[in-house]
Each structure stands twice: as structure tokens, then as C-alpha cells.
Amino acid sequence: MVPLYQIIILSLIQGITEFLPISSSAHLIFFPKVFGWQDQGLVLDVAVHFGTLGAVMVYFWRDCWSMTTGSLNLLRGKVTPGGELFMKLVVATIPAVVVGAIISYYTDSFLRNVTVIAWASIGFGIILYLFDRFAPTKFSLKHMNFTRSFIIGLIQVLAFIPGTSRSGSTIMAARMLGFNRVEAAHFACLMSIPLIIAAACETLYKLAKNGNHHMYKEAMIAAGISFVISLGSIGFMMMWVKRASYGIFVVYRVLLGVGLLAWVYTTG
């Protein structure tokens, strides 16, 4: 049985970090390692994923509705802006699905190393700063085409290295291509939808395979906390990038990486 305090803390971590460019996977890996917690299990993994999925779909409900109706129109041979956006997200998701399947088939134990997380947090934080500081700002979401979507999707693959950040890698790629800060964050959040669905489905499959169906109450708590916190986290980021740069997140990433390296080398 996972303690209630651990469920609450992990749900808070997932909710805060999923959409900010600071790597949710890094935090969910190193927190249990640092504090010696037991694995939270597949049920809670599914719950927090559904919580964050619900949050991004509620926050960007207009886009989600437009893509839903647009995808149905595509089946009837009619192309709408929502249908185009849907297809661009599909194209952007293909590289991550392919690479994710390969990693899942083999092993990612090396990538879950805290030292790897620390250096990735520092290194990709600096790269994010450079692109955010010096890349031109000339595009909005209406300029997103299939080529740019695929390039962002390719760069998103780097997020399989914990500490890189899925949100951070997509924002970095969008800024590199010249999209403004708000639209970069907007598209990064939308790109999370198919990936969270894929991750949740994979975890549900493992759950069904293992026959582990208990902890429903804990799952409801985890999903609820991650939903509320994710909603606030998205709102904070979208509000912040309208007024300022991604520098605050870069500073956090560097401090996090330095702190983790200090912990690794002092504890052995």
C-alpha cells in the first residue's frame, strides 16, 4: 500500500511539472530515489496521466473541439483548420511513438540514472535559453505546417532522456523554428495530448496484463490532484510567457541539475 502522503506529493509533482519545461519524468524518478520511496505502481501512473490529460483538454477545449469536429470532417473528405491541426499533431507524434516503442522493447534503465537526469537538465536548459534568447520570432500557430510539425516531433524524441523535458524539447524546437513564446508553449501543450493518451493506454495494457486492479480510491485522489494542479500549471506558464522569457525555467533547471550532481557525488 502506497502511503497517502506519497500519493499526494507525486500527484503534485506530476501536475506541476508535466507542462512546464522542467521535465516531469526527471522529478518522478529522482524524488523516490532521494527519499527511498516504494514504486507507486501502475494504477497511480494511469491516474496521474488521466489527470493531466483532462487538464490540458479543459484548458485548450476550443482547440480540442475544433480538432474533434475537424477529424470527423476529414472522414467525409472535408478539410477544416481543426482537421489540419489534428493531422499536424499526428505527424508530430509519429517519431516519439516509433522511438518510444523501441525503447520500451529494449531497456531504458541507463536513462533513469540520476546523473543522466542532472546533466540533461543543465545541458538542455542552456540550449533552451540560447534558442529562446537569440532565435527570431516571426511565426504564430497559423504558420505551423507539416514540415515544421515533423521537425518539432523529431526533436521531441530527445525527451526520452529524463531531464530533457517533453515540454522543454518541443518549446525549444518551436523557438528554434521562429515561433513566438506563447505559440511555442501552446503547441507544446497540444502535442502532449496524443502522447499522454499513448502513455496511459500502454500503462492500462500493462495493468490489465498484470491483473492489478486495486487502489481505486487512491487513484481518484491522484487523478483529482494532478488535474487541478496541471490546470493551474498550464495557466501559469501561458500567462508567464506572454510577459517574460523562459529564463526562470532555465535557472530552475540548472539549479536542479547542480543540486542533483552534488547529491550524487556526496552520497556515492
Side-chain angles (χ1 to χ4, degrees), residues 86-101:
F86 171 78
M87 290 305 299
K88 289 167 186 173
L89 289 181
V90 171
V91 168
T93 304
I94 291 172
V97 171
V98 173
V99 174

Side-chain angles (χ1 to χ4, degrees), residues 99-268:
V99 174
I102 294 172
I103 291 175
S104 179
Y105 182 78
Y106 290 100
T107 179
D108 63 346
S109 57
F110 168 73
L111 297 179
R112 297 178 70 84
N113 183 283
V114 176
T115 305
V116 173
I117 292 172
W119 284 115
S121 182
I122 295 170
F124 285 102
I126 293 172
I127 294 172
L128 172 62
Y129 169 78
L130 292 174
F131 280 124
D132 186 48
R133 175 68 177 82
F134 298 108
T137 300
K138 54 186 178 180
F139 294 137
S140 62
L141 201 56
K142 66 181 180 181
H143 298 106
M144 183 67 68
N145 56 30
F146 289 102
T147 301
R148 293 182 182 121
S149 298
F150 188 68
I151 292 172
I152 294 174
L154 282 175
I155 295 176
Q156 181 180 238
V157 167
L158 294 171
F160 284 105
I161 305 171
T164 302
S165 169
R166 186 211 58 79
S167 176
S169 63
T170 51
I171 288 171
M172 178 182 71
R175 291 291 295 121
M176 178 189 73
L177 293 173
F179 288 87
N180 66 55
R181 289 173 178 138
V182 174
E183 298 291 41
H186 185 172
F187 193 66
C189 286
L190 293 180
M191 282 183 67
S192 73
I193 296 174
L195 288 178
I196 294 175
I197 291 174
C201 289
E202 180 190 16
T203 311
L204 280 172
Y205 170 75
K206 291 179 181 178
L207 187 61
K209 189 176 179 181
N210 294 342
N212 184 4
H213 302 125
H214 65 291
M215 296 180 66
Y216 290 118
K217 180 180 177 181
E218 291 87 347
M220 292 289 289
I221 294 172
I225 293 173
S226 63
F227 171 79
V228 173
I229 301 302
S230 293
L231 205 55
S233 179
I234 297 171
F236 165 75
M237 182 174 67
M238 298 307 295
M239 177 188 69
W240 181 270
V241 297
K242 287 179 181 178
R243 299 171 172 82
S245 71
Y246 289 98
I248 185 176
F249 305 111
V250 172
V251 171
Y252 175 82
R253 291 176 64 103
V254 172
L255 291 176
L256 172 65
V258 171
L260 287 176
L261 288 174
W263 178 76
V264 168
Y265 291 126
T266 55
T267 61

